[in-house]
Amino acid sequence: MKVVFVGPTLPNAVDLVPTNVEVRGPAKHRDILAAVGEGAAVIGLIDGNFEDVAPIWHKEILFALSQGVRVYGSSSMGALRAAECAAFGMIGIGNIYNRYASGELFDDSDVAHVHGPKEMNYVSLSEPLVNVLATLDELLMRHELDHAEFASLRTSAELIFFKERTYRAIVAKANLPDHSSRESLQVLLRTNAINQKRRDALELLNAIATADERRQKAPTDWTFAETEQWRKILYRGRL
């Protein structure tokens, strides 16, 4: 059994995976634990809920790994958890994961953005910083931004609260050089926007599709600690 938790990062994920991969919505607390109890051998974590519900607990991921489940993470909550749990065997995938794992990124809100509900295909209402950074890096490499514009736009993007971060706001609040046209820069950013979260999510789907559908041997270099708090969560209701 293979399961992937995904939502706004890849709204059409169900059309992109083979029939043996079950697509579930963004993960929340106990969802990975439940998937393990249902027999999952491979779990992919892309999107996760946070503000209004308890997020995926690291302990759930460690439990899954201790049971020989392959757990992959990318793009959003998955990239965060993969960077945090890599030492225990969680597999991180993609550019965003690499940036967190290297310490270049460290703030959870760098992958966060505001979006509509599933019924509206998770329409995006703000820009996650990781996508903005990928866009700025690409435009600098192509010499469509000079270094002064790049630096001012990046600083502006980093300072804006994630719920308010749009390309319009980034350009409006940037301390740009005198030679720069705000209107032209806004068009440039919008028309060349890179969705790095989606790119990384597609990499994860490919990894899951080719992964062995059987659980692997339990790790031998660390032992899962079943604390009293964990037992309360594990046995609260049936999986």
Side-chain angles (χ1 to χ4, degrees):
M1 178 182 175
K2 299 180 180 181
V3 176
V4 60
F5 294 96
V6 60
T9 295
L10 204 60
N12 63 330
V14 70
D15 300 320
L16 303 173
V17 296
T19 55
N20 66 329
V21 177
E22 181 181 344
V23 175
R24 301 185 182 181
K28 60 184 183 302
H29 180 49
R30 287 184 59 88
D31 281 351
I32 285 182
L33 177 58
V36 174
E38 293 164 12
V42 179
I43 294 175
L45 177 61
I46 296 174
D47 291 315
N49 291 312
F50 56 106
E51 283 189 311
D52 55 342
V53 296
I56 281 293
W57 196 22
H58 301 78
K59 196 83 170 179
E60 296 177 64
I61 295 171
L62 297 182
F63 177 72
L65 295 169
S66 75
Q67 300 301 301
V69 178
R70 292 176 175 84
V71 185
Y72 297 81
S74 78
S75 305
S76 195
M77 180 71 77
L80 291 170
R81 291 293 183 263
E84 294 157 347
C85 298
F88 299 93
M90 187 171 178
I91 303 167
I93 291 176
N95 175 276
I96 296 168
Y97 160 74
N98 288 331
R99 283 184 151 182
Y100 275 109
S102 69
E104 179 184 350
L105 296 177
F106 56 86
D107 195 320
D108 290 7
S109 68
D110 290 349
V111 294
H113 73 293
V114 181
H115 56 80
K118 180 181 180 181
E119 293 74 19
M120 296 180 65
N121 205 36
Y122 298 109
V123 59
S124 184
L125 302 174
S126 69
E127 294 293 335
L129 182 62
V130 290
N131 285 354
V132 176
L133 295 180
T135 302
L136 294 178
D137 288 345
E138 177 69 16
L139 290 172
L140 179 65
M141 185 182 69
R142 285 165 25 193
H143 305 291
E144 294 188 57
L145 287 176
D146 62 33
H147 286 279
E149 290 170 330
F150 170 85
S152 59
L153 289 168
R154 175 165 181 156
T155 298
S156 175
E158 291 173 338
L159 292 175
I160 295 174
F161 181 50
F162 80 88
K163 292 185 177 181
E164 301 170 357
R165 189 186 295 116
T166 64
Y167 283 120
R168 179 188 295 274
I170 291 168
V171 174
K173 296 185 178 184
N175 183 22
L176 293 166
D178 292 339
H179 66 265
S180 301
S181 163
R182 293 184 188 274
E183 182 177 347
S184 296
L185 284 174
Q186 190 176 140
V187 172
L188 179 68
L189 293 173
R190 286 182 177 276
T191 56
N192 292 275
I194 292 175
N195 191 338
Q196 189 64 52
K197 290 178 70 172
R198 180 180 176 85
R199 289 183 176 182
D200 290 2
L202 291 173
E203 281 191 51
L204 182 144
L205 293 189
N206 287 334
I208 285 183
T210 58
D212 192 335
E213 204 161 352
R214 298 168 296 178
R215 292 191 181 184
Q216 55 191 351
K217 290 183 178 179
T220 58
D221 55 341
W222 60 274
T223 302
F224 181 78
E226 189 171 306
T227 62
E228 181 62 28
Q229 179 66 18
W230 171 255
R231 286 191 289 270
K232 288 180 180 178
I233 292 172
L234 179 62
Y235 300 118
R236 187 183 69 199
R238 301 186 65 83
L239 294 182

